[in-house]
Amino acid sequence: MAEEKQPLNREQMAAVLAQNMGYGWIVNLGIGIPTNVSNFLTPEQEIVLHSENGVIGYGRLAGEGEEDPDIVNASATQSVTLNPGAAIVHHADSFNVIRRGMIDVTCLGAYQVAPDGSFANWKITTEPWNNLGGIGGAMDLASSAKQIYLAMDHQTRDGEPRLLEKCSLPVTAPSGVTLVVTNLAVVAVRNGKFILEQHAPGYSAEDIQAVTGARLEISPDFRRVSV
Amino acid sequence: MAEEKQPLNREQMAAVLAQNMGYGWIVNLGIGIPTNVSNFLTPEQEIVLHSENGVIGYGRLAGEGEEDPDIVNASATQSVTLNPGAAIVHHADSFNVIRRGMIDVTCLGAYQVAPDGSFANWKITTEPWNNLGGIGGAMDLASSAKQIYLAMDHQTRDGEPRLLEKCSLPVTAPSGVTLVVTNLAVVAVRNGKFILEQHAPGYSAEDIQAVTGARLEISPDFRRVSV
Amino acid sequence: MPRPRIVMSMDEAVAGFADNSSLMIPGFGPGQPTNLLAALWRTPATGLTTISNGVGFESADEDLKGLGDLVMAGRVTKVIAAFTASTRPSRTGTAEALVANGTLKAELVPQGTLAERIRSGGAGVPAFYTPAGVGTETATGKEHREFGGRTFVMETALFADYAFIRAWKADTAGNLVFRRAARNFNPIMATAARNVIVEVEQPIVEAGEIDPDQVHVPGIYVTTLVRIPVGGVLHINRASGMAVRQTA
Amino acid sequence: MPRPRIVMSMDEAVAGFADNSSLMIPGFGPGQPTNLLAALWRTPATGLTTISNGVGFESADEDLKGLGDLVMAGRVTKVIAAFTASTRPSRTGTAEALVANGTLKAELVPQGTLAERIRSGGAGVPAFYTPAGVGTETATGKEHREFGGRTFVMETALFADYAFIRAWKADTAGNLVFRRAARNFNPIMATAARNVIVEVEQPIVEAGEIDPDQVHVPGIYVTTLVRIPVGGVLHINRASGMAVRQTA
């Protein structure tokens, strides 16, 4: 009997991202689902979390009573804890870490992604360039991190696909995405293709392809997420 | 009866430089005679001494028993004291202070100077550009400080003039010198002219002009140095 | 420069702020010069060009009036920021309408480019190259250039008439120390403005009491120091949204 | 990157140093990685490109063998420095002869430009503009450009295979703290090399024992830590010219 369809929630998506971190990586977590990743990393992974605001080596979100008003992650509002060995630098030095290419992976939220590794996450209209939007550090991160992981809902609220043959919104970077974690699937982005690696409980490859705006190649290792 | 001719020694030249510092100036002292200036500044002048190596707010040369091996001036070997309120920055940040134009005056040694404010202090030959020499921070300082004061002997050891209509050695900067203190004279550099302001004890304007390779205009206020 | 002046109130610190000035405003969550901004709100200053991470929103609390309020009151001519508009449709409206009707100019800059442009302004470096934004709308019209087979865009330095700074500690020589993530844009903005006005959380100590090795901003950059007085805003409690105030 | 490895000897720290590597060497008086350089001297490494403030002179003391000795032994192919030759005619001869006969290349760089090129290498900035050297021989052949009516030259970033660093304190996460003017080029060179090997004056402490606000170089940049052992060189007594050694 087929398992009941159960999309991943935000914490589960963050947990999947955490599973895809290598030992000792330097990782930047963007606003949204990614900032939750810090709660799912294990000490054995020896991950160093880097934040745009210059906090290097932070840990999980601060619990009640643990909040220090001066220690926040990339959201600028979520309090986090510092791990032993943390260091603080100023904003320019923080982006030096990024621009030099030291970030092994940046995890970002996104509106759209395409098989060429391009993605869009800073502007919700296709109006001509009008200098309005919220870029934050996403473009710096996307242009210089070794990999880009995205966390996003598989479809818009209106049911439109977000995984597309080509982004229709202005892109944040023309390439670089290697992994997309959605509420329905885990999709690798390799050699100009979307490769469907994992599915949320109860979803078949056909279910996922039906709500995807680009062709999905099914991985030989296609399996249910384990979170 | 004429006073006996008495050229200024290095300490006296440093003292003259110190007299020409304005209240609250940020001052960089180069290797040689200039580093001695720190011993002649008064607390009332509220001068902040800046060194290329990132020491901001140092004081006089360290006396015996006062030397800290980690606190040196631009010579990289002379130990100096720190004034209350001193701060240390790294080498790039130190040159940011210079490049931004915050140095009110840089005091440098020199081989040659001309009335256009150009000077030479980094290379003793006119051989074609061969990438040999000792520039140190002089070019950065010369290009960005508000004023350049030079301290130098009036003549070479061979008796050749060092104040010339045009530098024959490769220049450190094509302009910017405003004051030249030599063992014989204090010469202002203004509007493309050398203006003879002060003389060492016993030296007449004619004596000084005779060993100078450019025309000296005599200041209406021409007088004996007071050090 | 002589030592910074030390004044006793925020209003005194911002007195004489000239119309049509440019102003750097640090802060990324913590590290915002909240009290100086509220004092600026109380002056008639207008025609501002601001440089900040984001533009922010309006506040009903007079003590928390900030950039969002100045923008909405039409006192800002141009914003240079990494967030010039909300990415959430539900919150759209802050500055967008003003930009649409031409009363506000916006310059949207990737955050790392923004930081490096500020740092360059403080470093006497007029321009530099960065890979950020290549292949996107933000690189539109910018000069592109290859180095080592990779494409970069040229970006130019930012320098302002004023910087408002929030420090944790300061001494009478103007040396500043920041705490944790409240550091963010503060050290670089403090080097990239002609007038650097600093609100300080802790009592201002005598020169010599801060270890020279631990200074984050040398005092030569600082024009004015003012300690946050009793009742002044230290930070915002994120749970309640209420101001946490200086008590002693 | 995982935490830096901590080794017990200088020889172990530099083991495997590859021929034809580029190497950053800090120091401006204090702050030189004396012990690592002496250990490098003991390896067969050759064909070096070095980046440092000056080239220095030879030393008779095996424990003080450094860049000057490597240069004179023909083990350096190129020096990039603000002092490539002595300005004193009486001391001419160190590297000049090697340059003259073509066995050594030299690149003479104004000191602030050198610092900024290193900092840019660590910042992922491939090139920038500076006013230093405009109108002099050092700007020969460089691209000139006007910004705001003033002329600047373009300079490119430096990045090396190795940096040898001298720190005052370090923790097991690799965080570094420097003391006074021994800081100089150390923090920027530590960000601008693939392999960052650090000799440390004080005992290496546990991660967490250095206040995050007082770290000068975040540990993520550091590859290898080695404490200066008993008998190792701490600094040179300037009066006697003798090495002052680690005693405990």
Side-chain angles (χ1 to χ4, degrees), chain B residues 24 85 88 96-97 99-100 102, chain C residues 1-2 119 123 175 191 208 212 221:
Chain B
I88 311 289
N96 290 354
V97 174
R99 225 184 288 103
R100 209 203 92 173
M102 296 185 74
Chain C
M1 198 180 74
R119 188 262 172 198
N175 292 310
T191 67
Y221 289 103

Side-chain angles (χ1 to χ4, degrees), chain A residues 87-140:
Chain A
I88 310 289
V89 297
H90 63 53
H91 235 93
D93 280 348
S94 176
F95 277 89
N96 290 354
V97 174
I98 295 169
R99 225 184 288 103
R100 209 202 92 173
M102 296 184 73
I103 303 294
D104 289 291
V105 66
T106 178
C107 299
L108 296 165
Y111 304 134
Q112 296 181 340
V113 58
D116 60 1
S118 67
F119 74 107
N121 83 342
W122 67 281
K123 200 177 171 186
I124 50 172
T125 73
T126 55
E127 280 166 20
W129 170 236
N130 64 358
N131 273 292
L132 286 175
I135 308 180
M139 284 188 185
D140 310 84

Side-chain angles (χ1 to χ4, degrees), chain C residues 24-244:
Chain C
M24 299 232 176
I25 306 171
F28 186 98
Q32 297 192 41
T34 321
N35 301 280
L36 290 168
L37 286 169
L40 184 63
W41 171 257
R42 293 190 292 270
T43 74
T46 191
L48 303 180
T49 294
T50 61
I51 298 151
S52 61
N53 188 57
V55 174
F57 299 98
E58 292 173 276
S59 174
D61 184 338
E62 283 293 319
D63 289 350
L64 298 179
K65 291 289 187 190
L67 179 53
D69 300 279
L70 289 162
V71 166
M72 292 310 287
R75 294 168 64 182
V76 176
T77 305
K78 181 174 181 183
V79 291
I80 302 173
F83 293 93
T84 56
S86 175
T87 50
R88 298 187 213 168
S90 59
R91 300 192 80 171
T92 298
T94 308
E96 286 91 331
L98 294 175
V99 170
N101 74 21
T103 57
L104 176 67
K105 288 199 198 79
E107 183 176 341
L108 181 60
V109 185
Q111 194 176 126
T113 297
L114 181 66
E116 189 66 8
R117 290 178 67 189
I118 295 163
R119 188 262 172 198
S120 294
V125 166
F128 62 91
Y129 293 88
T130 176
V134 170
T136 77
E137 283 187 357
T138 65
T140 306
K142 289 176 184 167
E143 184 172 321
H144 287 61
R145 184 159 178 157
E146 287 207 2
F147 294 95
R150 189 172 172 203
T151 305
F152 296 82
V153 289
M154 192 179 81
E155 297 279 357
T156 55
L158 291 170
F159 195 83
D161 298 313
Y162 292 88
F164 285 177
I165 300 296
R166 161 66 75 93
W168 181 39
K169 293 181 181 176
D171 69 18
T172 54
N175 292 310
L176 306 182
V177 179
F178 305 95
R179 187 171 174 280
R180 304 300 189 241
R183 192 184 310 187
N184 61 71
F185 285 93
N186 278 287
I188 51 174
M189 288 184 169
T191 67
R194 250 173 297 278
N195 298 286
V196 177
I197 305 175
V198 186
E199 58 174 61
V200 188
E201 297 179 10
Q202 299 276 313
I204 296 164
V205 300
E206 285 299 319
E209 289 188 37
I210 298 176
D211 183 336
D213 288 336
Q214 294 173 12
V215 170
H216 293 141
V217 171
I220 51 172
Y221 289 103
V222 174
T223 318
T224 303
L225 292 172
V226 53
R227 189 187 176 207
I228 300 172
V230 172
V233 178
L234 274 181
H235 51 83
I236 315 287
N237 182 297
R238 280 183 258 287
S240 68
M242 302 278 284
V244 176

